[in-house]
Amino acid sequence: MTKSNTPVPLNIVLRFDALTCAVMGSLLIGASGWIAGMTALPTGLLFWAGLALFPVAVFMAVFAYADKVPGWASGLIVTGNLLWAVASLLLPVTGLVSPNTLGWAFLLVQAVAVLCFTWLEWKAAQFQPTIARPFA
């Protein structure tokens, strides 16, 4: 059996990332008060973070079903995911939020999950055929 070095296709990773954004967004909006009570994270932060995930999910879904994902789009997705993960960790480190132990775990687990998507999307984008740019 030969092991392939090609990653999961970018459109598959984007579909799954879009789905997880929509699910997490729904959870953060629908259960922001409950999650806040369990994690000591601000309810408003959870609600608005959840709301922000919906346009992100739509953006990813649009390109997940495209024939080829433009480089600018995959770059924006990878950069956005990286910034989300970094911001998730900077909020408590800088003292902008003061989560309890469960809150730290919540932030760390979701940041690691986002970083996994970031890596998978970056890796998959490297194997995607380039799109001819008009006027180049």
Side-chain angles (χ1 to χ4, degrees):
M1 179 187 286
T2 305
K3 183 178 177 184
S4 173
N5 286 334
T6 57
V8 176
L10 182 57
N11 64 335
I12 301 299
V13 180
L14 289 177
R15 288 175 193 173
F16 192 59
D17 197 358
L19 176 65
T20 60
C21 282
V23 169
M24 186 66 162
S26 297
L27 268 170
L28 289 176
I29 290 170
S32 57
W34 182 78
I35 295 169
M38 298 285 290
T39 62
L41 291 166
T43 304
L45 173 68
L46 296 168
F47 177 84
W48 290 105
L51 198 60
L53 286 173
F54 286 107
V56 172
V58 170
F59 184 82
M60 288 180 187
V62 165
F63 289 104
Y65 289 95
D67 290 334
K68 292 180 183 147
V69 180
W72 67 267
S74 61
L76 185 60
I77 291 166
V78 166
T79 302
N81 276 347
L82 185 59
L83 290 173
W84 182 280
V86 169
S88 296
L89 300 176
L90 282 178
L91 285 170
V93 168
T94 60
L96 291 171
V97 298
S98 299
N100 59 24
T101 303
L102 189 56
W104 269 99
F106 179 82
L107 291 171
L108 287 172
V109 167
Q110 67 87 34
V112 168
V114 171
L115 286 173
C116 288
F117 275 115
T118 305
W119 183 83
L120 288 169
E121 288 156 349
W122 176 80
K123 194 73 172 162
Q126 306 305 306
F127 285 90
Q128 180 178 258
T130 56
I131 297 173
R133 287 180 261 171
F135 312 111

